[in-house]
Amino acid sequence: MFKDNGSFCVKPWMFLMLGHNGEISACAKMTTNQRGALGSTKDKTLNEAWNSPAMMEYRKNMLAGNKMLACTKCYNREATNGDSPRTLLLKSNIDKIESLIANTDKDGFNSDYNISWLDIRFSNKCNFKCRMCNPGSSTAWMQDAHKLKKVAGTNQQYGFTEEYLSSIPDKKLDTVNGVATVDYLKENVTKIERINFAGGEPLIMDEHYELLNYLIVNNNYCNLTYHTNMSKLKYKNWNVLDLWNKWPKEKLNIWPSIDEIGERADLIRKVTNTTWTDIEENLKVLTENGFVLEPHITATAYNVFRLPEIIMYFYNNGVLVKERRYANFSIEITYDYQLHVSSLPDSLRNESILKINTFCNTFKDLTGYDVSFRFKHILTALNIPQDIEKTKQLIKFTAELDAIRNEDTYKVIPELEGLKTYM
C-alpha cells in the first residue's frame, strides 16, 4: 500500500502545463526557475517532454523521497497547516497511485504516456493589470511596464528590462506537436480527464470557446477548472453562462481571482472599462444560477490586513456555501519581493494576526465551522520579522506605479499610511 514519503506527487505521472509562450512545465506551483524545464512546444512534442531529463529527475526524486527546491511552495504549506496541493492530490488520487507508478523505471522513465490532465494557457491576453502581476501574464500591463523600468546595477527587485519586454509580444501557445493547439486538443481530448484554463484571462480568448464548444458537441464533459478575473461572462458572440449551463456542475470548478472589494479592488486589480460593480454582478449571476465558486485571494502587503472583511463579503453574498463547510475559498501568499507581507511594519502585521485569529473564532461561532486552516500559512508569513529593504522597495514601487496610473494608494488603503515614516 502506498505511503507518503513527504516528496511524492502524482502530477509527473498525469499532468502537463502548457504555458502561453509554449513552455512545458510539470506543475504551475513549482518555483519560477522550473517553468519550461520540460522544453517548449515550439521544438518538442509532448511525448518528448513526458520523459525529458527534468521530468525523469522529478519522478526519480519523488519515488526516492528526496525533496526538491522546485516543490518548496508545497513543502512550506505542509509545514504550517499539514496540507498543500501535493497532499490534497495524493488524497484524491490514492486509488490510482500504484497503477500510475507501475511502469516507471529506476531512472524515472515512464512508458505509459498517460497525460490525463492539462493546464492550458493559450496566451497572456488579459484586460487586468493587477499590481502583483506582470506583462508576461497580462497584455494590459505592457504600456505601464515600459514606464516601470528596472534599474541595472542596483538591488531593485521590481520593474522590467527592455530585454524582458521585447520577449513578451509573441507569448501565444500556437502549436503543440507541430499542429495548431486547438486542433491538437481536439484530436487528443478523449484521453483528457481534466483541463485547467488560465491565462491571461481565459474568458476573453477565442481558443477557449472553440475548444469548449467542441467538447460539448462531442459530449466530452471532462472536469474543467477556471482561473478567471470574473470581469467578462460575455465575449464576442459567446456567453459563457450558456455553455456552462450545459456542463455537469459537479465537473465545473470556477476559481475567481478576487483580492479585494470595492474601490480597493479597482486599485489593486486595475482594469479599463470594468469596475468592481461589474465583477460583483457577475458573482451574483453565477451564484443565483447554482454555480459553486471558489474565490482565490492573493495575499499581499496591500490586503493581508483585510482578509476577514473579504471572506465575510463572500459569506454575506452567498458565495461561501454550507455544503463546502463555508471553506470554498483559498488564499495564496505572493512571492513578489516588495509585496510580500514581511514588508509591513511590525505593528500592522501584529494587528493583522490578532484580527485573523479573532475572525476565525467569530466565524466559527456564526457558522459552526472552523476555517482557521485556510489562514495558517498566512499567519506563519505574518510572523516573519519586518524586512526593511522590502519595505523601502514597497514604498518606491507604490509611488512609481501611483504616478504612472494617476492613483493614490494611501487614500484608498489608509492602513498603509504608516509606511510614510520609512520614506
Side-chain angles (χ1 to χ4, degrees):
M1 181 177 289
F2 173 81
K3 184 178 180 180
D4 183 13
N5 60 18
S7 172
F8 183 84
C9 179
V10 299
K11 275 195 169 180
W13 281 268
M14 60 168 60
F15 174 92
L16 284 179
M17 172 182 165
L18 309 182
H20 37 55
N21 57 353
E23 290 179 344
I24 309 172
S25 307
C27 178
K29 296 294 183 184
M30 280 185 167
T31 51
T32 305
N33 65 339
Q34 294 297 307
R35 290 288 179 94
L38 310 187
S40 170
T41 58
K42 294 178 173 59
D43 54 28
K44 269 192 171 60
T45 66
L46 297 193
N47 305 58
E48 292 169 334
W50 188 246
N51 282 306
S52 61
M55 185 68 114
M56 289 172 61
E57 189 68 15
Y58 297 150
R59 296 192 190 109
K60 181 180 177 180
N61 279 311
M62 288 179 178
L63 289 172
N66 300 326
K67 290 192 173 183
M68 298 174 288
L69 288 175
C71 304
T72 298
K73 290 182 182 179
C74 277
Y75 302 151
N76 287 345
R77 287 288 291 270
E78 291 159 26
T80 57
N81 67 1
D83 264 328
S84 71
R86 183 189 76 86
T87 57
L88 292 173
L89 282 172
L90 289 183
K91 292 174 183 177
S92 61
N93 290 279
I94 193 68
D95 59 327
K96 300 178 182 178
I97 293 175
E98 294 295 341
S99 60
L100 283 173
I101 65 177
N103 294 314
T104 306
D105 67 20
K106 61 182 178 61
D107 295 316
F109 183 91
N110 179 260
S111 58
D112 279 347
Y113 187 62
N114 183 34
I115 305 173
S116 59
W117 179 10
L118 283 177
D119 183 312
I120 304 170
R121 304 176 185 220
F122 288 113
S123 77
N124 61 332
K125 181 182 179 182
C126 187
N127 56 333
F128 276 42
K129 43 183 177 180
C130 305
R131 289 191 171 224
M132 53 286 188
C133 196
N134 59 76
S137 296
S138 169
T139 49
W141 240 107
M142 184 60 76
Q143 186 175 359
D144 290 350
H146 280 287
K147 301 173 184 176
L148 192 67
K149 295 294 180 65
K150 190 166 189 174
V151 180
T154 71
N155 64 348
Q156 180 184 325
Q157 300 295 313
Y158 64 87
F160 310 99
T161 64
E162 283 301 327
E163 180 183 7
Y164 168 75
L165 293 174
S166 66
S167 71
I168 300 298
D170 63 347
K171 283 186 175 290
K172 187 175 176 64
L173 183 61
D174 295 315
T175 61
V176 176
N177 285 16
V179 299
T181 302
V182 174
D183 291 338
Y184 169 83
L185 293 170
K186 288 177 179 179
E187 293 170 9
N188 291 274
V189 79
T190 55
K191 306 170 188 175
I192 303 299
E193 299 173 8
R194 180 174 175 181
I195 298 175
N196 288 13
F197 289 112
E201 171 50 44
L203 298 187
I204 58 170
M205 296 182 189
D206 295 48
E207 299 92 338
H208 155 258
Y209 289 98
E210 185 179 345
L211 179 59
L212 196 57
N213 273 310
Y214 180 86
L215 291 170
I216 291 171
V217 168
N218 288 274
N219 294 311
N220 189 341
Y221 297 103
C222 59
N223 288 288
L224 300 181
T225 297
Y226 285 86
H227 300 266
T228 170
N229 62 37
M230 200 47 68
S231 63
K232 301 289 183 184
L233 298 182
K234 296 179 181 178
Y235 172 69
K236 294 186 176 180
N237 295 322
W238 293 294
N239 184 334
V240 75
L241 197 62
D242 294 338
L243 302 174
W244 284 351
N245 275 323
K246 297 177 182 179
W247 217 266
K249 283 189 169 63
E250 68 275 10
K251 291 189 173 185
L252 191 59
N253 307 290
I254 305 168
W255 296 356
S257 296
I258 298 177
D259 307 316
E260 255 296 2
I261 55 181
E263 65 174 344
R264 294 173 185 249
D266 290 335
L267 180 130
I268 293 173
R269 299 179 66 82
K270 183 74 172 178
V271 64
T272 308
N273 299 323
T274 300
T275 66
W276 166 251
T277 304
D278 299 310
I279 296 169
E280 194 170 38
E281 180 60 29
N282 289 338
L283 290 173
K284 181 180 178 181
V285 167
L286 289 174
T287 53
E288 288 180 347
N289 277 271
F291 293 96
V292 176
L293 311 179
E294 185 169 324
H296 177 87
I297 305 166
T298 300
T300 70
Y302 289 138
N303 69 348
V304 68
F305 38 80
R306 289 258 309 164
L307 292 177
E309 286 90 342
I310 299 168
I311 301 305
M312 279 307 298
Y313 170 85
F314 294 143
Y315 174 78
N316 289 331
N317 286 275
V319 175
L320 303 187
V321 295
K322 187 175 182 179
E323 307 88 82
R324 299 283 294 277
R325 305 176 67 85
Y326 299 113
N328 52 303
F329 66 91
S330 62
I331 311 172
E332 190 81 28
I333 282 280
T334 184
Y335 285 86
D336 282 355
Y337 180 85
Q338 76 284 357
L339 293 180
H340 192 268
V341 298
S342 59
S343 66
L344 295 174
D346 292 343
S347 57
L348 186 50
R349 286 185 296 102
N350 289 334
E351 288 173 17
S352 300
I353 291 170
L354 177 60
K355 188 175 181 179
I356 289 171
N357 284 326
T358 301
F359 166 76
C360 289
N361 292 330
T362 304
F363 193 80
K364 186 176 181 179
D365 291 339
L366 174 67
T367 66
Y369 292 98
D370 184 3
V371 296
S372 61
F373 67 98
R374 291 288 192 214
F375 294 89
K376 287 185 177 180
H377 62 297
I378 306 299
L379 294 172
T380 297
L382 284 168
N383 274 296
I384 296 173
Q386 181 184 7
D387 186 323
I388 298 297
E389 181 56 36
K390 287 183 180 178
T391 305
K392 292 177 180 178
Q393 295 209 30
L394 170 63
I395 293 168
K396 291 178 181 178
F397 170 79
T398 300
E400 290 184 37
L401 202 54
D402 276 358
I404 292 169
R405 296 181 176 180
N406 193 28
E407 294 175 331
D408 186 345
T409 293
Y410 299 104
K411 181 180 179 182
V412 177
I413 309 177
E415 294 89 342
L416 297 180
E417 278 285 340
L419 291 178
K420 292 181 178 179
T421 62
Y422 294 88
M423 290 181 177

